[in-house]
Amino acid sequence: MIAKVIVDADNKQVNKPFDYLIPDELIDLITVGSYIKVSFGARKVAAFVVGIGENSDRELKEVISLIDLNQVLTLELVLLGKQLAKQLITTQIKIYKTMLPSALNIKYRKYIIGDLREFNQYKINEKLYLDSLDNNLLKSLNTSIKKENLTVLVDLKQKVKKSYNQFYQLVTEDVQLTAKKQLEIFEFLKENGRTAKTELVDKAFSTSALKALVDKKIVKITKEEKYRYSFEKFENKNIILSQRQQKVLNDINKSRVNLLHGVTGSGKTEIYLKYISEIINQGKEAIFLVPEISLTYQFIKRFMGEFKDQVAVIHSGLTAGERYDEWRKIKENKVKCVIGARSAVFAPFENLGVIIIDEAHETTYKQDNNPRYNAIDVAKMRCSYHQCALILGTATPSLEDYALAKKEIYHLLTLKNRINNFSMPQIKVVDMPTKKLISKELERAIRERILKNEQVIILLNRRGFNTFLLCDDCRETIKCKYCDVTLTYHKKRNELVCHYCGYRLKTTVNKQIRCACGSDNLIYLGFGTERLLEELESLFREETILRLDQDTNKNKNIEKSLELFKSNKARILLGTQMIAKGLDFPNVTLVGVISIDSMLNRIDFRANEKTYQLLVQVAGRAGRGEKKGEVIIQTLNKDHFVLKEVIEGSYESFFKKEINLRKLGENPPYTFIDVIQVSSKKQVDAFKEAFRIMKYLNIKNVKILGPVVPYISKVNLKYRVNLLVKYKIANYLDKYYFNVYLNIDKNIGLIIDKSPLY
């Protein structure tokens, strides 16, 4: 038998199956989806089996071994990976590794064999690993390697292994012990039975005495696998659907894409839970996606309260070991439901009954680096394979999705009112103050809520303290040394940060920041959440104010902050767009939006839509209980039609106005738009390649705009040039794109982003 494999080499030249002979002893173990080790050229590499064939007359290398005894990719995921690689213009191995937890990735570690007597002190298990040596030793080793006195080989090891709890128990009680410490342990185990090692250590029993008992075979050690992720705070609510909710539940089409358009607070979550319960009762499985990690904690409590240990969790906030454990729960059929962010769409279920995507309008479902998959597109493919329902839930559908629903390509479900007929919040637009960040109207409203012991959410969609520094002498901004972007000042860390490449410029007492012209006469301009927090703390000194953005998220304190806010121990929550959606706090009666103008003024055909969605979503956090809600939006442009539509509260009205603008501009949903980005260390080379690609794509029914320099013209010392490609037939250019991808110069960077959402 022959295994057709995709090797672990992210190189477009080897992006195809290779044949390997399956040795007799592995024939019954290797199947499609197996994870194996093979020789590839002079190296040993990991590989995925994507097909099984009959023996051939060709002389083939044999599969070396299995890396994992279990099939790591289902047949469906193998086929899906092949299809996605074509659509996303990337390698199959890139897709397969995206589907799996990083713990399954193999660590390639080079080591030396040969006469290593002079390096004995550096050897580990008789191997001399290159990454354990300093540069001087590596230099002398290199000479011996060139003379062929030493040989370089590669170890393949999985990065993370299973975690176990260790237990001790008596083998026999018929013994005579004289050693006091051994006798103490013996008596304890005799009375308490099998005991965890951690408990014995906590009770300060002697580890040497314990080892002696094991050596004498009086005590034996057993292991029990433990899962590294645990979540102990559950919410178990008795779900009683309203008549309208029950109708929506009954109307879900079980084999189509369903667009559930329900206003904020209309009870979509209860419908999700009820439908998933039905699916699990049928013996099938469910995937539930949320756009932000901040939302997973809230949903985990509800889902685990409802389904107990039938739930697994997958998101980027977990450690590699935790993700590995959660993935194995799914693979080993120990759970029936998975909750997670974008990557959870690849959960290895084999009997899917539904995929539900909450806040389906969010751009975070699209990955912004290779492979640039959209979780919603992947969900459509998986639901088609399993012939099951896909539910897209949102209060503010994307124009493309709503247009498909209007054409009855999607099945439209609607919830027009809040649950229990709670009223929608009153929305007010006020002038943005010039000297402060908080207007008098917003300050007064916050004080009123504090006096009533109610809570407030404040949105500012920019992090940092100041968004840029301006030289007062030459009038230039302080930019990143690697990117064409201004640095953002973070006061707490006293440093300037590039939010594109991560470059940091720290200020100290002895080292002041200077402009390229040499001047230190700098003006701090703009504002972000860090500066807003400072102003709020000066206005409301007695209050605990919580801040949630990407900077605070790094400390993994989202869950802690949300719990504090929910328990009313903090009455003001400040954050970026991660707090604008999905959060359900009945005591929040006021939402303040500090400034929305930067979003409205973006050069982006989706700017109106994104602004409308963000404002409606954050407004929906107010008045979700019996208390009435209020929203105050600060702006420099009170007459903008988007703000008027938000106040009016009719999505249908906004859709009609915006869809006409899309038609005039020949933008989605009337066309498909892709962005091709070419990058190079020399801008002239990037332009040359862009013109060459534009000439190649000059075919019928294709309109190309560009080449143009994007707003951020340089990142990580590479100049960028963009082409905007418009066409009307889905996947019309895929074969042309793949040829561009295969023939691009190795010194030129290439990104082909199909249907970008930014």
Side-chain angles (χ1 to χ4, degrees):
M1 298 291 286
I2 292 170
K4 296 180 179 298
V5 311
I6 296 293
V7 296
D8 187 0
D10 188 19
N11 185 323
K12 59 189 174 185
Q13 305 305 328
V14 296
N15 184 33
K16 59 182 180 181
F18 291 88
D19 290 349
Y20 284 83
L21 189 65
I22 302 175
D24 291 342
E25 63 271 21
L26 294 179
I27 282 178
D28 294 332
L29 298 175
I30 290 179
T31 183
V32 173
S34 290
Y35 197 26
I36 62 174
K37 185 195 295 186
V38 298
S39 293
F40 190 70
R43 298 188 300 146
K44 291 181 176 64
V45 299
F48 295 100
V49 178
V50 296
I52 302 291
E54 296 296 324
N55 288 340
S56 72
D57 297 330
R58 289 181 300 147
E59 188 174 336
L60 298 173
K61 291 181 180 179
E62 280 194 349
V63 173
I64 297 172
S65 65
L66 278 164
I67 292 173
D68 198 308
L69 283 172
N70 300 311
Q71 174 199 42
V72 297
L73 290 169
T74 64
L75 174 61
E76 179 212 353
L77 292 180
V78 168
L79 297 173
L80 179 64
K82 186 177 181 181
Q83 190 177 355
L84 281 174
K86 285 182 179 178
Q87 286 189 9
L88 302 175
I89 326 296
T90 189
T91 58
Q92 281 180 250
I93 192 66
K94 198 78 176 176
I95 301 292
Y96 293 140
K97 292 180 82 169
T98 300
M99 291 176 171
L100 297 170
S102 61
L104 276 176
N105 290 342
I106 293 300
K107 183 178 181 181
Y108 293 85
R109 199 176 183 197
K110 290 187 178 181
Y111 66 94
I112 308 292
I113 60 170
D115 186 359
L116 298 169
R117 281 173 291 184
E118 60 181 299
F119 301 105
N120 277 339
Q121 60 180 313
Y122 302 104
K123 289 194 293 185
I124 304 171
N125 297 328
E126 297 306 311
K127 293 178 180 178
L128 182 65
Y129 288 98
L130 290 182
D131 59 12
S132 67
L133 304 176
D134 62 31
N135 290 337
N136 290 328
L137 284 169
L138 285 173
K139 190 173 181 181
S140 61
L141 268 174
N142 196 41
T143 304
S144 296
I145 292 166
K146 285 180 178 177
K147 291 178 181 177
E148 299 184 352
N149 296 333
L150 300 174
T151 305
V152 181
L153 297 175
V154 177
D155 250 357
L156 275 67
K157 291 185 178 180
Q158 279 184 239
K159 292 182 177 179
V160 178
K161 296 181 180 179
K162 294 180 182 179
S163 180
Y164 294 92
N165 283 321
Q166 205 171 69
F167 294 87
Y168 290 84
Q169 65 187 89
L170 293 179
V171 176
T172 176
E173 295 182 8
D174 188 21
V175 292
Q176 295 293 323
L177 293 169
T178 55
K180 183 181 177 182
K181 291 185 178 180
Q182 292 179 30
L183 185 60
E184 286 175 354
I185 297 171
F186 177 82
E187 293 295 340
F188 181 85
L189 291 177
K190 186 176 179 180
E191 182 178 345
N192 295 279
R194 182 171 174 262
T195 305
K197 180 181 179 179
T198 52
E199 186 178 342
L200 294 174
V201 170
D202 288 343
K203 293 187 178 296
F205 285 121
S206 166
T207 53
S208 59
L210 194 56
K211 184 179 183 301
L213 289 170
V214 172
D215 292 341
K216 292 176 182 178
K217 297 185 178 179
I218 297 170
V219 171
K220 71 175 181 180
I221 301 172
T222 57
K223 290 181 178 180
E224 187 177 284
E225 186 183 351
K226 67 175 179 179
Y227 293 115
R228 279 162 276 221
Y229 178 74
S230 62
F231 198 94
E232 298 174 356
K233 296 173 182 175
F234 303 155
E235 276 186 13
N236 198 350
K237 296 181 180 178
N238 185 26
I239 300 173
I240 300 174
L241 298 186
S242 68
Q243 190 174 0
R244 180 60 197 162
Q245 285 174 306
Q246 188 63 49
K247 184 178 186 310
V248 167
L249 180 67
N250 296 340
D251 286 350
I252 291 172
N253 190 303
K254 294 175 171 56
S255 59
R256 285 180 63 190
V257 179
N258 298 265
L259 178 62
L260 174 50
H261 179 206
V263 300
T264 55
S266 58
K268 295 186 288 294
T269 301
E270 286 71 24
I271 294 171
Y272 301 152
L273 288 165
K274 280 291 187 184
Y275 192 76
I276 290 173
S277 182
E278 290 180 9
I279 291 299
I280 291 175
N281 289 337
Q282 294 167 19
K284 295 182 179 181
E285 301 135 349
I287 295 174
F288 182 75
L289 301 185
V290 293
E292 297 274 5
I293 298 173
S294 59
L295 290 180
T296 58
Y297 301 111
Q298 182 170 293
F299 280 110
I300 290 166
K301 287 193 292 185
R302 291 294 308 274
F303 275 64
M304 286 190 169
E306 190 73 21
F307 306 119
K308 307 299 185 287
D309 56 0
Q310 290 289 298
V311 179
V313 178
I314 293 179
H315 60 71
S316 60
L318 304 183
T319 65
E322 288 170 340
R323 283 173 69 94
Y324 178 52
D325 290 350
E326 296 300 294
W327 176 84
R328 283 189 304 104
K329 284 183 192 176
I330 303 163
K331 193 74 184 69
E332 294 165 8
N333 298 314
K334 292 180 179 177
V335 297
K336 290 292 184 182
C337 176
V338 61
I339 301 174
R342 183 176 58 228
S343 62
V345 75
F346 295 114
F349 283 135
E350 297 190 60
N351 191 19
L352 264 177
V354 68
I355 299 178
I356 299 173
I357 301 181
D358 193 40
E359 311 293 0
H361 62 280
E362 283 294 331
T363 58
T364 48
Y365 287 119
K366 172 77 182 284
Q367 181 151 303
D368 58 5
N369 53 28
N370 189 20
R372 288 175 164 76
Y373 71 92
N374 189 320
I376 295 176
D377 293 335
V378 175
K380 289 176 185 176
M381 295 160 79
R382 295 203 68 183
C383 288
S384 175
Y385 182 91
H386 290 276
Q387 290 295 291
C388 68
L390 170 60
I391 301 174
L392 307 178
T394 174
T396 52
S398 71
L399 265 72
E400 291 93 323
D401 283 345
Y402 200 68
L404 288 170
K406 299 277 272 188
K407 291 181 179 179
E408 298 186 356
I409 296 170
Y410 287 177
H411 181 52
L412 182 62
L413 305 163
T414 57
L415 289 167
K416 294 182 179 179
N417 299 306
R418 282 188 158 180
I419 200 163
N420 297 326
N421 289 318
F422 292 148
S423 60
M424 298 299 288
Q426 180 186 359
I427 300 173
K428 184 189 300 182
V429 176
V430 301
D431 288 317
M432 179 73 193
T434 54
K435 294 184 179 180
K436 297 196 304 179
L437 303 183
I438 306 290
S439 63
K440 289 181 179 179
E441 294 94 332
L442 181 54
E443 182 184 345
R444 183 168 54 249
I446 294 172
R447 293 195 186 282
E448 286 175 4
R449 270 34 184 219
I450 290 172
L451 286 172
K452 294 178 181 178
N453 199 29
E454 295 171 357
Q455 291 174 293
V456 180
I457 286 178
I458 304 291
L459 171 73
L460 173 58
N461 206 23
R462 283 197 299 264
R463 57 196 173 109
F465 191 84
N466 296 103
T467 47
F468 63 99
L469 269 71
L470 181 72
C471 176
D472 202 24
D473 291 336
C474 71
R475 311 307 288 177
E476 290 290 331
T477 56
I478 307 299
K479 290 189 174 182
C480 173
K481 65 188 290 187
Y482 304 112
C483 311
D484 180 31
V485 62
T486 55
L487 296 172
T488 300
Y489 178 57
H490 291 253
K491 186 176 181 180
K492 187 174 181 181
R493 300 197 300 264
N494 200 25
E495 63 183 6
L496 291 164
V497 180
C498 174
H499 288 165
Y500 282 79
C501 74
Y503 168 72
R504 284 169 154 71
L505 190 59
K506 198 164 184 71
T507 65
T508 64
V509 174
N510 299 319
K511 181 185 175 185
Q512 295 300 314
I513 297 171
R514 291 183 178 274
C515 176
C517 73
S519 171
D520 61 0
N521 188 15
L522 305 177
I523 307 170
Y524 288 74
L525 297 170
F527 52 88
T529 49
E530 194 178 7
R531 182 180 162 195
L532 178 57
L533 176 64
E534 192 173 277
E535 185 166 316
L536 284 167
E537 287 176 336
S538 69
L539 288 171
F540 308 102
R541 297 181 185 278
E542 303 301 318
E543 294 301 314
T544 299
I545 302 171
L546 302 173
R547 173 177 147 227
L548 278 184
D549 55 32
Q550 282 189 1
D551 297 317
T552 59
N553 180 15
K554 289 177 184 176
N555 298 324
K556 294 188 176 183
N557 68 349
I558 293 176
E559 183 183 352
K560 181 181 176 183
S561 294
L562 293 178
E563 282 297 322
L564 280 172
F565 194 64
K566 183 171 184 178
S567 62
N568 213 30
K569 292 177 182 175
R571 286 185 287 192
I572 301 176
L573 175 64
L574 157 68
T576 53
Q577 62 178 355
M578 67 167 57
I579 65 166
K581 53 228 170 194
L583 299 178
D584 186 5
F585 299 112
N587 199 37
V588 171
T589 56
L590 174 66
V591 166
V593 180
I594 298 306
S595 175
I596 205 66
D597 301 290
S598 59
M599 284 190 72
L600 279 174
N601 296 328
R602 285 180 61 181
I603 305 172
D604 173 7
F605 72 87
R606 287 196 174 94
N608 289 340
E609 178 185 26
K610 288 178 182 176
T611 306
Y612 179 86
Q613 288 169 338
L614 181 62
L615 290 176
V616 170
Q617 290 290 335
V618 75
R621 301 315 106 209
R624 295 175 72 88
E626 295 179 358
K627 301 171 185 175
K628 285 193 174 183
E630 181 184 9
V631 181
I632 296 177
I633 301 170
Q634 299 181 166
T635 179
L636 297 172
N637 189 358
K638 292 169 69 173
D639 296 325
H640 199 290
F641 94 91
V642 169
L643 297 177
K644 291 181 178 179
E645 292 298 330
V646 170
I647 294 170
E648 197 65 32
S650 168
Y651 176 83
E652 191 73 32
S653 173
F654 170 76
F655 174 81
K656 287 177 181 176
K657 288 184 173 70
E658 188 64 15
I659 204 74
N660 288 332
L661 295 176
R662 295 283 184 93
K663 190 173 185 178
L664 288 170
E666 294 185 313
N667 289 320
Y670 297 99
T671 59
F672 294 96
I673 290 184
D674 302 334
V675 171
I676 300 176
Q677 186 172 96
V678 180
S679 59
S680 176
K681 290 183 178 179
K682 294 182 180 179
Q683 193 174 55
V684 64
D685 291 341
F687 267 104
K688 282 180 182 178
E689 189 62 26
F691 276 115
R692 188 186 71 80
I693 293 170
M694 186 172 69
K695 185 177 179 181
Y696 173 68
L697 295 177
N698 185 23
I699 56 179
K700 188 178 179 182
N701 298 323
V702 176
K703 181 184 287 188
I704 302 177
L705 304 177
V708 295
V709 176
Y711 178 68
I712 307 296
S713 64
K714 183 176 69 172
V715 172
N716 275 327
L717 295 178
K718 285 196 171 184
Y719 291 92
R720 309 154 109 190
V721 174
N722 284 358
L723 295 170
L724 192 73
V725 186
K726 291 187 176 185
Y727 53 98
K728 293 191 175 182
I729 303 171
N731 303 317
Y732 181 57
L733 292 173
D734 282 7
K735 65 179 181 180
Y736 297 95
Y737 286 161
F738 217 86
N739 284 335
V740 170
Y741 167 71
L742 290 175
N743 295 298
I744 197 81
D745 187 281
K746 64 180 181 180
N747 296 316
I748 299 290
L750 176 71
I751 293 172
I752 299 175
D753 195 357
K754 297 179 69 178
S755 302
L757 298 178
Y758 50 81

